Amino acid sequence: MGAKRFKEGILEILFPRVCVVCGHSLSPKENVLCVECLSSKFEETVPKGSVTSDGILLPEGIQLQHALWTFDKGGYLQELLHQLKYHRITGVGVDIGRQLAVSMKKNSLMSSFLLEPYQLLPVPLHPKKRRMRGYNQAYYIAKGIAEVAGGEIISKKAVIRIKNTKTQTGFSLEKRRRNIENAFKVVHPDSVNGKNIIIVDDVFTTGSTTFELASVIKASHCEKIAIVTVAQA
């Protein structure tokens, strides 16, 4: 143990643990984001007690939608999500997933949803994109949620993405819908049949991706559906 602690001490000197947002040193209890940044750097999205973010109309079959923070184009949050999505800093996903879970438990409607057994469904990536990126960022957000709020993460083999869609940035609402149409498939219906499902993603823009995924799992006879994301654009 002495040698291990010595090695950890050397690594701490050579590669000090700092917050990926502000650069300040992290305490042993902090992962990659400091408590100060998690609590004060970003703007909360969903008003207390609201079923959804402002201006969002939910399709039939989706009970509620909850986003943690308002997306800040060119700001701290966009950079944070970029680090998670493209630079393999998966600890960011876990940290913000934990913070998202805290926010979910504070929302009266979302907290009621959490009282019943539920499954967490990270929005699936197409296999080609997953191989290129090496991981699914939504999985690590779901992992953080599970650590704080509970819930089992559905196997990545149970619900899959069968259409390698183009990035939707800059697309109109109608083009987004056509792009994502028929993109998902439930391989193991028993994973969603009769169950409450929380769909997890990083950013909610128009809802086209999560709404399409919701329609697919609804066709496999799941019960209640909620959508949670880190950001609302």
Side-chain angles (χ1 to χ4, degrees):
M1 288 297 292
K4 182 180 179 181
R5 284 198 296 269
F6 177 77
K7 183 178 179 181
E8 289 172 348
I10 293 296
L11 289 173
E12 183 65 26
I13 294 171
L14 295 175
F15 306 103
R17 296 176 65 252
V18 296
C19 174
V20 296
V21 172
C22 68
H24 290 166
S25 297
L26 294 169
S27 72
K29 292 183 179 180
E30 294 170 330
N31 188 15
V32 295
L33 287 160
C34 70
V35 171
E36 178 65 23
C37 284
L38 281 170
S39 61
S40 64
K41 281 285 192 227
F42 314 108
E43 179 185 352
E44 291 189 355
T45 299
V46 181
K48 287 185 178 179
S50 174
V51 68
T52 184
S53 302
D54 289 342
I56 301 298
L57 295 176
L58 297 177
E60 185 178 354
I62 301 175
Q63 275 62 48
L64 57 99
Q65 174 260 339
H66 180 91
L68 172 60
W69 295 313
T70 299
F71 188 73
D72 57 347
K73 188 171 177 61
Y76 286 116
L77 184 52
Q78 183 178 29
E79 177 58 27
L80 188 64
L81 293 174
H82 193 272
Q83 293 293 325
L84 166 62
K85 200 167 184 176
Y86 301 111
H87 294 287
R88 297 177 180 267
I89 306 181
T90 54
V92 167
V94 176
D95 275 3
I96 56 182
R98 291 173 183 150
Q99 193 71 11
L100 176 53
V102 171
S103 174
M104 289 161 62
K105 293 171 80 172
K106 288 180 179 178
N107 182 293
S108 58
L109 292 168
M110 189 75 236
S111 62
S112 296
F113 192 103
L114 297 176
L115 291 175
E116 300 178 31
Y118 60 88
Q119 311 286 309
L120 295 164
L121 174 58
V123 172
L125 285 180
H126 189 272
K128 285 185 178 179
K129 192 166 290 185
R130 188 184 183 92
R131 283 195 297 271
M132 180 177 66
R133 193 173 297 169
Y135 60 97
N136 180 358
Q137 75 277 2
Y139 168 81
Y140 288 94
I141 298 169
K143 189 172 183 288
I145 293 171
E147 289 181 8
V148 172
E152 179 184 345
I153 301 175
I154 293 175
S155 166
K156 65 181 180 181
K157 295 179 181 180
V159 183
I160 63 172
R161 197 170 190 138
I162 56 176
K163 183 179 178 183
N164 192 14
T165 54
K166 299 176 182 177
T167 180
Q168 308 221 98
T169 304
F171 280 11
S172 66
L173 178 57
E174 182 56 35
K175 196 168 183 179
R176 284 172 181 263
R177 286 173 178 164
R178 291 199 305 269
N179 184 48
I180 202 68
E181 190 176 13
N182 300 319
F184 303 105
K185 178 182 179 182
V186 177
V187 179
H188 301 297
D190 59 331
S191 64
V192 298
N193 191 331
K195 297 177 181 176
N196 295 341
I197 305 293
I198 298 179
I199 295 173
V200 181
D201 206 2
D202 51 0
V203 181
F204 184 99
T205 304
T206 64
S208 55
T209 298
T210 48
F211 291 169
E212 174 67 17
L213 178 55
S215 71
V216 171
I217 63 172
K218 191 65 181 175
S220 290
H221 310 292
C222 70
E223 288 293 327
K224 299 176 183 177
I225 300 174
I227 297 167
V228 298
T229 58
V230 173
Q232 166 79 45

